[in-house]
Amino acid sequence: MSGGRFDFDDGGAYCGGWEGGKAHGHGICTGPKGQGEYSGSWNFGFEVVGIYTWPSGNTYEGYWSQGKRHGLGIETKGRWVYRGEWTHGFKGRYGTRQSTSSGAKYEGTWNNGLQDGYGTETYADGGTYQGQFTNGMRHGYGVRQSVPYGMASVVRSPLRTSLSSLRSEHSNGTLPQQDSPAVNPESLPLSPTITRGGFALSLYAEAEAGKPKKGGLFRRGSLLGKLKKSESKSSLASQKSRVSFLKSESGISSAASDATSTVSLGEGAEGEEYPPFESDIDATTTETYMGEWKNDKRAGFGVSERSSGLKYEGEWLDNLRHGYGCTTLPDGKKEEGKYRHNVLIKGMKKRVIPLKSAKIRQKVDRSVEGAQRAAAIARQKSEIAASRTAHAKAKAEGSEQAAQAANNESGIARMMARELSPDFYQPG
């Protein structure tokens, strides 16, 4: 086998062994204008195992096949490190991705470079989501567990870059501060929404409160006035608990999913009229959601419960109670009926025939049963996700050995390049 140095027209170069006119053995190849490089072993023109360094400083240490990352390897990209398997250039099937500046991480299965299948997402504040993913988003069934309220991340901006959806792949892995998705800035109230990661139970409506009317934003006073007309005796519990009732993120879906989810638009708009939303919730309170997820948000049937005793069983849409369901307050009182954008809108007006209440009762019961079934399925999916997570961790450990092998091969390639061409520039 012979070797030497070959300079390309674009400013890149190869220095190392070759055979049959192709890179073979050990060598270094730099990119256009000498930017970026691969150093390691080669097999007739294709990388085998080594280190690839991009001009940006991102690196990959591991195995290759037919010119693509394949096998075990470690990618360091911005503040994110992926350890695990690669298939034809994409992350997967098993691997972990973790932020180097916080505890945010995902451990589980992947497909085409995105979280897909089953896995566990851990957010910067320590909260978790364990369950199903599709195309980088929480989708299917899963369990979202918050940390104590006093420790939960405060979300002051509705914009969310979270690890859950590797839409962050395109933003070079921007660190998710919370698990709340992106919202159209034009639809937000002037005051910033302050919410907590993992706490989705909330009293105030997002959709209606966020829509501008002729005179500006929907005033909280007029919103509550509207509610008084349609609520019945059974909803009086919400009157008493209007302030203390679950004040937190109406929609924070996950502290690390990458793209967008809804944050409560109603809270904070007229805050001076009411005590702080946190005033009635204990710092040790936690919240768990078990049920269906669609496109990174709580949607479908599910059960959300706080350690304080507050619980909602029923239908959800965009992280809000929406549809039929039952809310049980800490004192045991219940609020049942149909919700729209988090607000109870029972059809119990005088002109409605009495049979209406029986129909509502049936629909509520069906929704509660559906929510309990969904919660049971979510627990099952969570157990499967735990198994996949363990396997992903094992692959991540194996990738450390692959990275070590890549460093060894890279060292040999660098030594050979220095011998063949002492003045050869090695970017890495």
Side-chain angles (χ1 to χ4, degrees):
M1 181 181 71
S2 57
R5 173 175 175 170
F6 183 85
D7 294 309
F8 300 103
D9 294 339
D10 61 8
Y14 172 77
C15 187
W18 63 58
E19 191 166 320
K22 297 179 180 179
H24 191 74
H26 291 84
I28 298 177
C29 185
T30 61
K33 298 180 181 179
Q35 295 185 335
E37 69 160 28
Y38 168 81
S39 59
S41 56
W42 299 78
N43 183 47
F44 294 105
F46 289 110
E47 303 91 336
V48 178
V49 56
I51 300 176
Y52 193 95
T53 304
W54 280 266
S56 63
N58 297 334
T59 63
Y60 170 77
E61 306 162 275
Y63 288 89
W64 299 70
S65 179
Q66 299 299 305
K68 295 181 179 179
R69 291 175 284 182
H70 191 86
L72 292 173
I74 297 178
E75 176 192 70
T76 301
K77 189 175 185 180
R79 287 177 287 188
W80 295 95
V81 178
Y82 172 85
R83 298 178 176 85
E85 294 181 307
W86 293 80
T87 303
H88 304 304
F90 291 103
K91 298 177 179 68
R93 170 148 175 92
Y94 291 92
T96 70
R97 188 168 187 256
Q98 182 168 3
S99 166
T100 57
S101 56
S102 77
K105 61 184 175 181
Y106 170 79
E107 301 160 309
T109 59
W110 301 70
N111 187 41
N112 288 331
L114 296 173
Q115 298 133 297
D116 198 281
Y118 294 87
T120 302
E121 210 167 47
T122 302
Y123 307 112
D125 62 6
T128 61
Y129 168 83
Q130 196 164 60
Q132 294 179 295
F133 290 81
T134 299
N135 292 328
M137 293 184 285
R138 291 164 296 179
H139 191 92
Y141 292 87
V143 177
R144 173 70 165 95
Q145 176 66 60
S146 79
V147 291
Y149 189 79
M151 298 168 59
S153 301
V154 176
V155 185
R156 294 181 179 275
S157 165
L159 299 180
R160 155 196 168 200
T161 42
S162 128
L163 144 94
S164 75
S165 70
L166 284 195
R167 295 183 282 267
S168 60
E169 194 71 349
H170 304 295
S171 62
N172 202 22
T174 308
L175 174 65
Q177 296 299 323
Q178 242 27 357
D179 55 318
S180 116
V183 173
N184 180 358
E186 297 180 358
S187 67
L188 296 175
L190 299 178
S191 302
T193 298
I194 300 180
T195 55
R196 300 274 177 148
F199 288 78
L201 287 172
S202 176
L203 176 62
Y204 300 104
E206 275 185 28
E208 294 182 6
K211 290 179 182 177
K213 295 202 100 183
K214 292 181 180 178
L217 290 171
F218 205 149
R219 292 285 174 180
R220 178 172 289 168
S222 64
L223 175 61
L224 297 183
K226 178 183 177 184
L227 294 181
K228 291 174 184 175
K229 296 179 183 178
S230 63
E231 61 194 9
S232 65
K233 294 179 181 179
S234 62
S235 69
L236 289 179
S238 67
Q239 282 278 65
K240 300 175 183 178
S241 60
R242 188 151 272 143
V243 175
S244 61
F245 194 68
L246 314 173
K247 40 252 158 237
S248 55
E249 67 184 287
S250 85
I252 302 282
S253 0
S254 82
S257 264
D258 212 355
T260 41
S261 166
T262 320
V263 173
S264 174
L265 303 182
E267 300 171 4
E270 303 283 335
E272 61 277 359
E273 296 180 16
Y274 295 87
F277 288 105
E278 289 83 358
S279 64
D280 252 27
I281 188 169
D282 193 292
T284 62
T285 300
T286 59
E287 182 172 314
T288 303
Y289 172 81
M290 298 179 287
E292 292 183 272
W293 295 75
K294 293 178 183 176
N295 298 326
D296 230 26
K297 301 176 185 178
R298 299 163 178 80
F301 291 103
V303 176
S304 189
E305 184 171 12
R306 287 192 175 171
S307 56
S308 62
L310 181 65
K311 176 195 282 189
Y312 172 73
E313 302 165 286
E315 296 177 274
W316 295 75
L317 180 67
D318 291 342
N319 290 321
L320 297 172
R321 292 172 296 165
H322 190 87
Y324 290 91
C326 172
T327 299
T328 303
L329 302 179
D331 61 7
K333 294 180 181 178
K334 292 188 176 182
E335 181 181 84
E336 301 173 290
K338 185 176 182 179
Y339 292 83
R340 179 180 295 153
H341 304 306
N342 229 31
V343 176
L344 189 67
I345 53 158
K346 289 188 177 180
M348 301 291 284
K349 298 177 182 177
K350 293 180 181 179
R351 66 175 181 272
V352 179
I353 56 177
L355 288 176
K356 185 71 173 178
S357 61
K359 291 182 178 179
I360 290 178
R361 158 60 54 196
Q362 291 176 351
K363 291 180 178 179
V364 168
D365 288 345
R366 280 201 294 268
S367 287
V368 170
E369 290 173 6
Q372 292 172 347
R373 280 196 302 272
I377 294 173
R379 285 191 291 268
Q380 294 173 351
K381 300 300 184 184
S382 177
E383 291 176 4
I384 295 174
S387 173
R388 301 288 194 276
T389 296
H391 199 60
K393 288 181 178 179
K395 291 298 182 181
E397 291 178 7
S399 70
E400 295 286 355
Q401 298 177 342
Q404 185 57 54
N407 276 274
N408 293 340
E409 296 296 286
S410 174
I412 296 173
R414 293 189 185 286
M415 188 167 59
M416 175 172 279
R418 280 194 295 270
E419 292 177 359
L420 293 172
S421 179
D423 62 344
F424 178 73
Y425 172 63
Q426 301 184 21

